[in-house]
mmCIF file of all heavy atoms in Angstrom:
data_model
loop_
_atom_site.group_PDB
_atom_site.id
_atom_site.type_symbol
_atom_site.label_atom_id
_atom_site.label_comp_id
_atom_site.label_asym_id
_atom_site.label_seq_id
_atom_site.Cartn_x
_atom_site.Cartn_y
_atom_site.Cartn_z
ATOM 1 N N ILE A 428 101.561 81.943 106.693
ATOM 2 C CA ILE A 428 100.495 82.213 107.651
ATOM 3 C C ILE A 428 100.798 81.353 108.876
ATOM 4 O O ILE A 428 100.916 80.135 108.763
ATOM 5 C CB ILE A 428 99.113 81.812 107.090
ATOM 6 C CG1 ILE A 428 98.961 82.256 105.633
ATOM 7 C CG2 ILE A 428 98.009 82.366 107.975
ATOM 8 C CD1 ILE A 428 98.787 83.703 105.411
ATOM 9 N N VAL A 429 100.949 82.007 110.004
ATOM 10 C CA VAL A 429 101.321 81.281 111.211
ATOM 11 C C VAL A 429 100.250 81.492 112.268
ATOM 12 O O VAL A 429 99.771 82.622 112.449
ATOM 13 C CB VAL A 429 102.673 81.799 111.765
ATOM 14 C CG1 VAL A 429 103.199 80.868 112.840
ATOM 15 C CG2 VAL A 429 103.676 81.946 110.648
ATOM 16 N N TRP A 430 99.871 80.415 112.909
ATOM 17 C CA TRP A 430 98.929 80.580 114.011
ATOM 18 C C TRP A 430 99.687 81.121 115.212
ATOM 19 O O TRP A 430 100.595 80.470 115.737
ATOM 20 C CB TRP A 430 98.246 79.260 114.366
ATOM 21 C CG TRP A 430 97.221 79.470 115.428
ATOM 22 C CD1 TRP A 430 97.440 79.701 116.757
ATOM 23 C CD2 TRP A 430 95.801 79.530 115.252
ATOM 24 N NE1 TRP A 430 96.264 79.911 117.428
ATOM 25 C CE2 TRP A 430 95.222 79.797 116.517
ATOM 26 C CE3 TRP A 430 94.944 79.381 114.142
ATOM 27 C CZ2 TRP A 430 93.850 79.921 116.710
ATOM 28 C CZ3 TRP A 430 93.579 79.493 114.346
ATOM 29 C CH2 TRP A 430 93.047 79.754 115.616
ATOM 30 N N VAL A 431 99.340 82.325 115.638
ATOM 31 C CA VAL A 431 99.964 82.899 116.833
ATOM 32 C C VAL A 431 98.862 83.461 117.713
ATOM 33 O O VAL A 431 98.126 84.367 117.303
ATOM 34 C CB VAL A 431 100.947 84.042 116.468
ATOM 35 C CG1 VAL A 431 101.692 84.508 117.716
ATOM 36 C CG2 VAL A 431 101.936 83.605 115.414
ATOM 37 N N ASP A 432 98.764 82.928 118.910
ATOM 38 C CA ASP A 432 97.779 83.478 119.841
ATOM 39 C C ASP A 432 98.179 84.895 120.202
ATOM 40 O O ASP A 432 99.361 85.247 120.201
ATOM 41 C CB ASP A 432 97.697 82.604 121.101
ATOM 42 C CG ASP A 432 96.961 81.306 120.814
ATOM 43 O OD1 ASP A 432 95.956 81.351 120.078
ATOM 44 O OD2 ASP A 432 97.404 80.249 121.298
ATOM 45 N N ASN A 531 102.575 90.822 109.267
ATOM 46 C CA ASN A 531 101.253 91.227 109.719
ATOM 47 C C ASN A 531 101.095 90.805 111.164
ATOM 48 O O ASN A 531 100.602 89.724 111.463
ATOM 49 C CB ASN A 531 100.171 90.600 108.837
ATOM 50 C CG ASN A 531 100.003 91.336 107.537
ATOM 51 O OD1 ASN A 531 99.893 92.563 107.506
ATOM 52 N ND2 ASN A 531 100.008 90.589 106.444
ATOM 53 N N LEU A 534 96.500 90.877 111.483
ATOM 54 C CA LEU A 534 95.990 90.775 110.114
ATOM 55 C C LEU A 534 94.953 91.866 109.894
ATOM 56 O O LEU A 534 94.246 92.264 110.825
ATOM 57 C CB LEU A 534 95.349 89.413 109.897
ATOM 58 C CG LEU A 534 96.257 88.315 109.341
ATOM 59 C CD1 LEU A 534 95.555 86.969 109.427
ATOM 60 C CD2 LEU A 534 96.639 88.613 107.909
ATOM 61 N N SER A 559 102.279 86.360 108.360
ATOM 62 C CA SER A 559 101.066 86.872 108.988
ATOM 63 C C SER A 559 100.714 86.066 110.224
ATOM 64 O O SER A 559 100.722 84.834 110.188
ATOM 65 C CB SER A 559 99.899 86.828 108.004
ATOM 66 O OG SER A 559 100.182 87.636 106.878
ATOM 67 N N PHE A 560 100.434 86.775 111.295
ATOM 68 C CA PHE A 560 100.008 86.129 112.532
ATOM 69 C C PHE A 560 98.504 85.942 112.481
ATOM 70 O O PHE A 560 97.769 86.924 112.388
ATOM 71 C CB PHE A 560 100.367 86.983 113.756
ATOM 72 C CG PHE A 560 101.843 87.206 113.953
ATOM 73 C CD1 PHE A 560 102.293 87.958 115.035
ATOM 74 C CD2 PHE A 560 102.780 86.656 113.085
ATOM 75 C CE1 PHE A 560 103.649 88.173 115.235
ATOM 76 C CE2 PHE A 560 104.139 86.867 113.273
ATOM 77 C CZ PHE A 560 104.575 87.637 114.356
ATOM 78 N N TYR A 561 98.105 84.715 112.547
ATOM 79 C CA TYR A 561 96.672 84.428 112.472
ATOM 80 C C TYR A 561 96.228 83.806 113.788
ATOM 81 O O TYR A 561 96.944 82.995 114.366
ATOM 82 C CB TYR A 561 96.414 83.443 111.317
ATOM 83 C CG TYR A 561 94.960 83.145 111.073
ATOM 84 C CD1 TYR A 561 94.270 83.737 110.023
ATOM 85 C CD2 TYR A 561 94.269 82.255 111.909
ATOM 86 C CE1 TYR A 561 92.935 83.472 109.816
ATOM 87 C CE2 TYR A 561 92.914 81.993 111.706
ATOM 88 C CZ TYR A 561 92.261 82.600 110.651
ATOM 89 O OH TYR A 561 90.926 82.351 110.440
ATOM 90 N N ASN A 562 95.059 84.207 114.238
ATOM 91 C CA ASN A 562 94.423 83.485 115.351
ATOM 92 C C ASN A 562 92.912 83.620 115.242
ATOM 93 O O ASN A 562 92.406 84.150 114.237
ATOM 94 C CB ASN A 562 94.945 83.966 116.715
ATOM 95 C CG ASN A 562 94.679 85.450 116.945
ATOM 96 O OD1 ASN A 562 93.613 85.962 116.592
ATOM 97 N ND2 ASN A 562 95.655 86.134 117.528
ATOM 98 N N GLU A 563 92.216 83.171 116.252
ATOM 99 C CA GLU A 563 90.753 83.080 116.139
ATOM 100 C C GLU A 563 90.093 84.438 115.843
ATOM 101 O O GLU A 563 88.991 84.481 115.320
ATOM 102 C CB GLU A 563 90.154 82.442 117.396
ATOM 103 C CG GLU A 563 90.261 83.264 118.685
ATOM 104 C CD GLU A 563 91.666 83.251 119.281
ATOM 105 O OE1 GLU A 563 92.464 82.375 118.886
ATOM 106 O OE2 GLU A 563 91.972 84.131 120.115
ATOM 107 N N ASN A 565 90.831 86.336 113.555
ATOM 108 C CA ASN A 565 90.886 86.588 112.108
ATOM 109 C C ASN A 565 90.043 85.610 111.303
ATOM 110 O O ASN A 565 90.267 85.415 110.116
ATOM 111 C CB ASN A 565 92.338 86.532 111.633
ATOM 112 C CG ASN A 565 93.250 87.377 112.485
ATOM 113 O OD1 ASN A 565 94.118 86.864 113.183
ATOM 114 N ND2 ASN A 565 93.042 88.684 112.461
ATOM 115 N N ARG A 566 89.085 85.038 111.970
ATOM 116 C CA ARG A 566 88.243 84.025 111.338
ATOM 117 C C ARG A 566 87.625 84.542 110.028
ATOM 118 O O ARG A 566 87.517 83.808 109.050
ATOM 119 C CB ARG A 566 87.150 83.630 112.324
ATOM 120 C CG ARG A 566 86.479 82.319 112.007
ATOM 121 C CD ARG A 566 85.505 81.946 113.126
ATOM 122 N NE ARG A 566 84.590 80.911 112.681
ATOM 123 C CZ ARG A 566 84.917 79.622 112.641
ATOM 124 N NH1 ARG A 566 86.117 79.249 113.010
ATOM 125 N NH2 ARG A 566 84.046 78.734 112.211
ATOM 126 N N ASN A 567 87.249 85.805 110.030
ATOM 127 C CA ASN A 567 86.597 86.364 108.836
ATOM 128 C C ASN A 567 87.527 86.441 107.622
ATOM 129 O O ASN A 567 87.081 86.670 106.508
ATOM 130 C CB ASN A 567 86.047 87.761 109.152
ATOM 131 C CG ASN A 567 87.152 88.706 109.610
ATOM 132 O OD1 ASN A 567 88.223 88.241 110.023
ATOM 133 N ND2 ASN A 567 86.925 89.996 109.523
ATOM 134 N N MET A 568 88.812 86.264 107.860
ATOM 135 C CA MET A 568 89.770 86.321 106.756
ATOM 136 C C MET A 568 90.084 84.941 106.188
ATOM 137 O O MET A 568 90.744 84.836 105.147
ATOM 138 C CB MET A 568 91.075 86.968 107.234
ATOM 139 C CG MET A 568 91.005 88.468 107.357
ATOM 140 S SD MET A 568 91.094 89.260 105.760
ATOM 141 C CE MET A 568 92.836 89.075 105.392
ATOM 142 N N ALA A 569 89.647 83.917 106.853
ATOM 143 C CA ALA A 569 90.101 82.568 106.517
ATOM 144 C C ALA A 569 89.858 82.213 105.050
ATOM 145 O O ALA A 569 90.770 81.746 104.356
ATOM 146 C CB ALA A 569 89.429 81.551 107.436
ATOM 147 N N LEU A 572 91.807 84.463 102.548
ATOM 148 C CA LEU A 572 93.235 84.229 102.720
ATOM 149 C C LEU A 572 93.635 82.896 102.104
ATOM 150 O O LEU A 572 94.632 82.797 101.386
ATOM 151 C CB LEU A 572 93.561 84.244 104.222
ATOM 152 C CG LEU A 572 94.979 84.578 104.647
ATOM 153 C CD1 LEU A 572 95.444 85.877 104.016
ATOM 154 C CD2 LEU A 572 95.050 84.669 106.172
ATOM 155 N N TRP A 586 95.419 73.690 109.076
ATOM 156 C CA TRP A 586 94.401 74.284 109.953
ATOM 157 C C TRP A 586 93.643 75.402 109.253
ATOM 158 O O TRP A 586 92.463 75.632 109.489
ATOM 159 C CB TRP A 586 95.002 74.764 111.267
ATOM 160 C CG TRP A 586 96.196 75.692 111.143
ATOM 161 C CD1 TRP A 586 97.515 75.345 111.239
ATOM 162 C CD2 TRP A 586 96.165 77.100 110.905
ATOM 163 N NE1 TRP A 586 98.309 76.455 111.065
ATOM 164 C CE2 TRP A 586 97.510 77.538 110.868
ATOM 165 C CE3 TRP A 586 95.146 78.034 110.721
ATOM 166 C CZ2 TRP A 586 97.848 78.885 110.647
ATOM 167 C CZ3 TRP A 586 95.483 79.371 110.503
ATOM 168 C CH2 TRP A 586 96.820 79.780 110.469
ATOM 169 N N LEU A 587 94.332 76.097 108.342
ATOM 170 C CA LEU A 587 93.663 77.189 107.636
ATOM 171 C C LEU A 587 92.592 76.639 106.690
ATOM 172 O O LEU A 587 91.476 77.157 106.623
ATOM 173 C CB LEU A 587 94.678 78.038 106.869
ATOM 174 C CG LEU A 587 94.125 79.283 106.170
ATOM 175 C CD1 LEU A 587 93.482 80.242 107.166
ATOM 176 C CD2 LEU A 587 95.201 80.010 105.382
ATOM 177 N N ILE A 590 89.617 75.635 108.805
ATOM 178 C CA ILE A 590 88.817 76.773 109.270
ATOM 179 C C ILE A 590 88.015 77.357 108.112
ATOM 180 O O ILE A 590 86.823 77.651 108.241
ATOM 181 C CB ILE A 590 89.713 77.867 109.887
ATOM 182 C CG1 ILE A 590 90.399 77.333 111.145
ATOM 183 C CG2 ILE A 590 88.893 79.106 110.228
ATOM 184 C CD1 ILE A 590 91.419 78.267 111.736
#
Side-chain angles (χ1 to χ4, degrees):
Chain A
I428 317 288
V429 192
W430 184 286
V431 186
D432 286 320
N531 281 312
L534 268 169
S559 299
F560 297 180
Y561 184 102
N562 60 40
E563 67 284 344
N565 310 113
R566 198 174 164 80
N567 59 341
M568 283 284 285
L572 204 52
W586 53 262
L587 185 60
I590 296 173

